[in-house]
Amino acid sequence: MVKIKNQVCFMCGKKYKPEKVVFRCEKCGGSIDINYDFKEIKNLINKPTFTKAPVSHWKYWMFYPIKNLKNMITLGEGGTPLINDKFHKGRLLKNEGLNPTGSFKDRGSAVEITKAVENKVHNIYCPSTGNMGASIAAYGTRAGIRVTVYVPSGAPPVKVQQIKSYGARVVNMRGTYTNALNSVYELSEDTGAYISGDYGYRGEGEKSTGLEIIDQLNWQIPDYIVIPVGMGNHFWGIHQGLKEAKMVGLIDKFPKLVAIQASGCDTVVSSWKNNDPLPKTRKNPDTIAGAIACGKPNFGAEVLYALKQTKGLAETVTDGEILQARKELGKQGVWAEPAGAVAYAGAEKLGLSGQVVCIITGHGLKDPFAGGAIPSVY
Ligand SMILES: *Cc1c(COP(=O)(O)O)cnc(C)c1O
Ligand SMILES: [Zn+2]
């Protein structure tokens, strides 16, 4: 309902008309940023009825590219708790595992599927290591869309079961997540199939993680926001949400953004450490944190840019460090899947102090036996 001014390729700057459906730049394959009429947003949020309203994903509807809120597909996503870490002063946990399908992906799916409804889409194809597929399956089938999810071998059985439970079709793929992604991409080029997943509108929805954090901190910024990076879409969405919050005057400074990856899939972190503007690719990612085992991150260049802009930090963590973090989280009532414990492991490894928000991205029930059964003395 807020006017979109234009859509611009992040990589080459090519502009697209506001109403055009474009996943990746037609010229260079870059991701697409959406520019709104920020004056209009400013008018909408410039009142206590906005700033004091309880946090929820759709509170920030004016930051999304939705034409009519009547089309909204929602399962009550967002509004997740920001709680104190029992073991570290100043550290806060944003528990995204409490979203309707157990991960933050629901923020992106709510916007992406609502947008698909507006675009009169009937079939959606999605590559996924599990969480994306489950989320798109839930929102897609609720919207009456047929959903087909391409799943690489090695996806946790619980996640595959979850995808099927929502009524989606599952196509089992050999190889890695990148293989599944390429298959879906080819299908889309051959048949015009509507792909869902790490494309434009999703990042618009994932802005709400960042917006909720500053809202829960009474429109103050923390020192750091620590984010696990797979494709980089969530990281970039959080950056964009904060950037736009600053543009409309909700905050006047920027927190440092911190990217954490598994050492077995360090696409962005290794480039950051080598001062390289583009992410490396990893042919065979090897990590217990399956949800971030993405060998070719669609939003890697964007993450590197955001790290530079926010004078951020980037680090890798080992599987052992991830499991240790999962244990510490569990002992304070927060059960995370391995990827969900990655930010916590990173904050620990970097020894971050001050106000540090760790995003716990996915629920432990998603991949309960990762790392083996829990011993009776844990
Ligand atoms: C998808 C996912 C991530 C990574 O998010 P990206 O947008 O791919 O960087 C991290 N943790 C969990 C639990 C996820 O499902
Ligand atoms: Zn381009």
Side-chain angles (χ1 to χ4, degrees):
M1 285 198 308
V2 167
K3 210 161 93 207
I4 293 175
K5 277 199 182 144
N6 58 27
Q7 309 185 89
V8 185
C9 171
F10 170 81
M11 296 297 271
C12 77
K14 182 174 163 64
K15 285 202 172 115
Y16 295 89
K17 292 224 172 83
E19 65 278 6
K20 188 170 168 69
V21 179
V22 49
F23 292 135
R24 304 289 294 181
C25 178
E26 289 164 1
K27 208 169 122 203
C28 79
S31 66
I32 306 295
D33 290 337
I34 299 175
N35 290 313
Y36 299 86
D37 182 342
F38 288 105
K39 263 208 200 108
E40 202 184 326
I41 297 184
K42 212 168 177 167
N43 287 334
L44 283 163
I45 61 164
N46 210 351
K47 0 179 139 81
T49 45
F50 172 82
T51 46
K52 292 201 173 6
V55 295
S56 81
H57 175 75
W58 288 98
K59 173 175 174 181
Y60 318 101
W61 61 267
M62 58 292 282
F63 292 92
Y64 309 147
I66 302 298
K67 283 195 202 117
N68 191 334
L69 290 177
K70 281 200 185 122
N71 298 322
M72 183 197 296
I73 303 294
T74 179
L75 293 166
E77 54 287 340
T80 57
L82 183 68
I83 61 172
N84 286 321
D85 174 12
K86 208 179 125 184
F87 303 124
H88 301 82
K89 200 170 167 280
R91 199 184 288 179
L92 295 162
L93 313 173
K94 177 73 171 158
N95 191 356
E96 289 297 297
L98 299 183
N99 275 296
T101 76
S103 83
F104 74 85
K105 298 283 197 301
D106 294 343
R107 298 174 182 277
S109 301
V111 168
E112 194 177 20
I113 299 298
T114 298
K115 208 58 204 160
V117 168
E118 291 193 337
N119 290 330
K120 304 213 164 22
V121 172
H122 301 292
N123 273 294
I124 274 183
Y125 297 83
C126 157
S128 171
T129 62
N131 289 347
M132 179 75 80
S135 184
I136 287 176
Y139 287 78
T141 56
R142 187 173 171 91
I145 296 170
R146 264 165 67 101
V147 177
T148 308
V149 184
Y150 286 60
V151 179
S153 50
V158 173
K159 295 188 183 182
V160 178
Q161 187 83 344
Q162 192 187 7
I163 295 168
K164 291 177 180 165
S165 304
Y166 296 129
R169 286 192 301 164
V170 169
V171 178
N172 293 304
M173 299 293 295
R174 252 189 253 169
T176 64
Y177 169 73
T178 304
N179 297 121
L181 185 132
N182 288 340
S183 301
V184 177
Y185 208 67
E186 276 163 27
L187 182 80
S188 146
E189 288 198 325
D190 294 350
T191 66
Y194 196 90
I195 332 176
S196 198
D198 286 300
Y199 301 94
Y201 305 128
R202 170 158 299 273
E204 294 302 302
E206 291 177 1
K207 292 192 290 199
S208 72
T209 309
L211 292 166
E212 276 185 16
I213 290 169
I214 52 175
D215 195 338
Q216 286 168 312
L217 295 175
N218 257 319
W219 306 108
Q220 301 294 315
I221 57 158
D223 296 306
Y224 300 94
I225 299 180
V226 191
I227 309 157
V229 171
M231 293 294 266
N233 205 347
H234 194 205
F235 191 101
W236 182 237
I238 291 168
H239 175 268
Q240 294 298 86
L242 295 172
K243 186 186 92 183
E244 292 174 8
K246 189 159 175 270
M247 283 171 77
V248 300
L250 284 168
I251 50 173
D252 55 11
K253 280 185 297 199
F254 228 90
K256 288 185 194 308
L257 298 186
V258 183
I260 309 294
Q261 290 190 299
S263 46
C265 192
D266 58 349
T267 55
V268 169
V269 176
S270 66
S271 296
W272 172 252
K273 291 186 173 174
N274 293 327
N275 244 323
D276 207 333
L278 291 175
K280 300 252 171 345
T281 55
R282 285 268 174 260
K283 255 222 152 86
N284 293 301
D286 179 17
T287 169
I288 199 165
I292 54 169
C294 312
K296 202 163 162 269
N298 271 0
F299 290 82
E302 287 82 344
V303 172
L304 290 163
Y305 169 85
L307 282 170
K308 209 168 205 171
Q309 288 296 308
T310 70
K311 300 188 173 58
L313 299 166
E315 190 51 272
T316 58
V317 289
T318 64
D319 282 358
E321 287 162 341
I322 293 168
L323 291 175
Q324 181 57 33
R326 187 183 64 169
K327 185 171 164 181
E328 266 188 52
L329 287 165
K331 289 191 170 180
Q332 51 183 314
V334 179
W335 190 21
E337 68 171 293
V342 160
Y344 197 85
E348 200 66 15
K349 188 154 188 178
L350 287 166
L352 298 180
S353 60
Q355 196 173 43
V356 183
V357 175
C358 294
I359 305 189
I360 313 304
T361 45
H363 202 288
L365 286 168
K366 290 261 191 188
D367 194 2
F369 294 101
I374 307 240
S376 52
V377 180
Y378 188 38

